[in-house]
Amino acid sequence: MADICVIGGGAAGMTAAVFAAEAGAKVTLLEGNRFCGKKLRITGKGRCNVTNNCDVRQFLTNVPVNGKFLYSALTAFPPRETMEWFEKLGVPLKTERGNRVFPVSDNAHDVAGALERAMRRAGVKVVNEKAAEPDIAAGELRGVRTESGVLPCAAAIVCTGGLSYPLTGSTGDGYAFARAAGHTVDECRPSLVPLESPDWYCRAMQGFAPRNVVLNVYDKRDKLVFSELGEMLFTHFGVSGPLVLSASAHMRSDGEPYRLSIDFKPALDEKKLDERILRDLQKFKNRAIGNALEELTVKSMIPVLVSLSGIPPETQANALTKQQRRALLELLKSFPVRISGTRPIAEAIVTSGGVAVGEINPRTMCSRLVKGLYFAGEVLDVDAFTGGFNLQIAWSTGRLAGISAAKEIVGT
């Protein structure tokens, strides 16, 4: 019999297991994959954005969904202490642009490996099985039903993740487990996800990955909801890349139309850009317009610019009118992309929605409905923007759940 059963061997689960075991509890971790941290090992394009090097107040401004719920967990284990913890676990860290924190090695396996070693040192038993449902009697957890039977335990910590990246094991099992315990699961939606567009030219520019562009997002009221400098990617379905993933987290309303406006030349104001266009047109004055823009943008974008500007393709560069030149300038400074929706949740980095936090005690991560049942990480209805915030939520809630469960059982 285990004191505590941790369900899920991801970021939150391994953290919960380590802190619970170090507090004196006998811990068994259930993980359906052959090894722990499968999703963790591919985060940040394999680099693992461990956290964001900021204070709690600034952190919470980057949590648009149920941020107040995290106050206790983050105060007890803020980014600075998380960084110190990983350094002690043998993972040197570095801080990059936007206060994003990565391992010096740029290798996510180092983070997952450090957590696995910490679990072994603490005596955590890892069992490669999935949890099916809770065994509850008189409002109190008695055990966890697995594929091979019931695992008796005094407490269980559900850390199964959401619905994003299902091939890593995040298939929504935790939601079924929570419902079986009587918990409400708020509607799950994709967050930090690529966006679909009906505009033909996204497919025409497929593979174009502009850097140092400003992406602006407007809602149906034409209100600016996101604006940031970075890089993005045009695809066969619409747009993706770091900027787009960040923007998607700000697009909260289901079914609400959004539009993008992209500034491809943010370093140039309109006057300087117009002068640049004039120079190019003069340099290639005897060419058709489609062959006169090769130094202004990439090859795949030129026919799109010509088409959207309304300039006849056979027009010579030296024959462009002031109005036609203005049309090119406006496209380069505010290129339009309509958004029809997001890609499926399976392609999202993070799941928005999950176990309703009103049914969880934020000071312990314990269920208010079932004694001995705890939740941590992405399974909860809490999500944040990009930049290491979501992993920090996993570390903080996992630690709090592990310590709280151990304290309840062994009195440490």
Side-chain angles (χ1 to χ4, degrees):
M1 174 179 174
D3 292 329
I4 299 172
C5 177
V6 176
I7 306 169
M14 287 192 284
T15 303
V18 169
F19 280 99
E22 288 181 345
K26 183 180 178 181
V27 179
T28 295
L29 184 146
L30 297 178
E31 170 53 53
N33 291 314
R34 290 185 298 105
F35 54 87
C36 292
K38 192 170 182 179
K39 182 178 178 182
L40 181 62
R41 296 171 192 271
I42 63 172
T43 59
K45 297 181 179 179
R47 296 180 63 214
C48 190
N49 187 178
V50 176
T51 186
N52 193 280
N53 191 1
C54 65
D55 60 27
V56 172
R57 183 176 179 180
Q58 184 180 353
F59 189 102
L60 291 175
T61 65
N62 287 275
V63 186
V65 179
N66 297 321
K68 290 182 180 179
F69 172 80
L70 296 171
Y71 185 80
S72 294
L74 287 169
T75 301
F77 199 50
R80 174 53 57 185
E81 290 189 24
T82 300
M83 292 169 65
E84 292 173 358
W85 183 55
F86 274 107
E87 295 270 0
K88 289 177 182 177
L89 291 181
V91 184
L93 302 173
K94 59 182 177 180
T95 301
E96 298 186 357
R97 181 179 60 85
N99 293 325
R100 291 169 168 84
V101 178
F102 293 90
V104 171
S105 65
D106 286 327
N107 192 334
H109 290 282
D110 291 349
V111 178
L115 291 169
E116 287 183 311
R117 291 191 297 274
M119 287 198 297
R120 285 196 294 270
R121 287 195 298 269
V124 176
K125 180 182 179 181
V126 177
V127 176
N128 294 119
E129 282 191 66
K130 282 190 173 184
E133 60 183 12
D135 182 14
I136 299 169
E140 186 173 341
L141 187 91
R142 298 294 177 84
V144 174
R145 298 185 185 277
T146 70
E147 298 159 331
S148 60
V150 177
L151 174 65
C153 57
I157 307 175
V158 182
C159 307
T160 50
L163 289 167
S164 55
Y165 291 122
L167 292 178
T168 65
S170 296
T171 55
D173 294 350
Y175 303 140
F177 193 96
R179 289 190 184 100
H183 277 274
T184 303
V185 177
D186 296 330
E187 179 186 2
C188 294
R189 305 174 304 280
S191 184
L192 307 183
V193 64
L195 302 173
E196 295 183 345
S197 171
D199 295 328
W200 63 268
Y201 42 82
C202 288
R203 179 184 290 271
M205 295 190 292
Q206 179 179 349
F208 176 31
R211 293 187 170 189
N212 298 318
V213 299
V214 172
L215 176 64
N216 299 300
V217 180
Y218 296 88
D219 64 15
K220 64 180 180 182
R221 294 170 295 278
D222 223 31
K223 177 184 176 183
L224 181 67
V225 297
F226 176 86
S227 181
E228 193 169 302
L229 173 73
E231 59 185 277
M232 59 180 294
L233 172 70
F234 286 90
T235 73
H236 67 283
F237 57 76
V239 287
S240 187
L243 271 182
V244 172
L245 298 182
S246 295
S248 71
H250 295 257
M251 301 161 69
R252 314 300 305 185
S253 302
D254 295 337
E256 179 173 328
Y258 287 89
R259 67 176 179 87
L260 311 183
S261 177
I262 306 162
D263 184 351
F264 287 103
K265 304 291 182 181
L268 301 177
D269 59 25
E270 289 192 1
K271 184 176 182 295
K272 290 182 179 178
L273 179 56
D274 189 41
E275 292 171 354
R276 166 70 194 277
I277 295 172
L278 275 171
R279 285 199 303 272
D280 282 20
L281 294 178
Q282 180 61 32
K283 182 176 181 180
F284 303 111
K285 60 183 179 180
N286 295 321
R287 292 185 182 183
I289 183 61
N291 296 318
L293 302 177
E294 62 183 30
E295 293 184 2
L296 193 63
T297 187
V298 297
K299 185 176 180 180
S300 63
M301 192 182 185
I302 293 173
V304 173
L305 286 175
V306 174
S307 176
L308 294 182
S309 67
I311 302 171
E314 67 277 7
T315 305
Q316 279 197 310
N318 62 358
L320 248 66
T321 66
K322 184 177 181 180
Q323 290 75 18
Q324 289 172 328
R325 198 172 74 241
R326 177 70 190 179
L328 287 175
L329 183 149
E330 288 180 352
L331 284 169
L332 289 168
K333 293 297 287 183
S334 54
F335 188 85
V337 176
R338 293 175 297 162
I339 299 302
S340 55
T342 67
R343 293 297 286 170
I345 197 167
E347 297 180 28
I349 294 177
V350 170
T351 302
S352 180
V355 178
V357 297
E359 299 169 354
I360 309 296
N361 185 335
R363 292 181 175 83
T364 61
M365 295 294 128
C366 185
S367 165
R368 297 185 188 274
L369 309 181
V370 178
K371 184 180 180 182
L373 182 60
Y374 297 76
F375 295 89
E378 193 180 350
V379 72
L380 293 164
D381 184 12
V382 180
D383 64 278
F385 300 143
T386 55
F389 301 104
N390 288 289
L391 268 182
Q392 180 62 53
I393 291 172
W395 313 132
S396 294
T397 57
R399 174 188 178 276
L400 183 56
I403 289 176
S404 299
K407 184 175 181 180
E408 182 69 22
I409 293 164
V410 300
T412 57

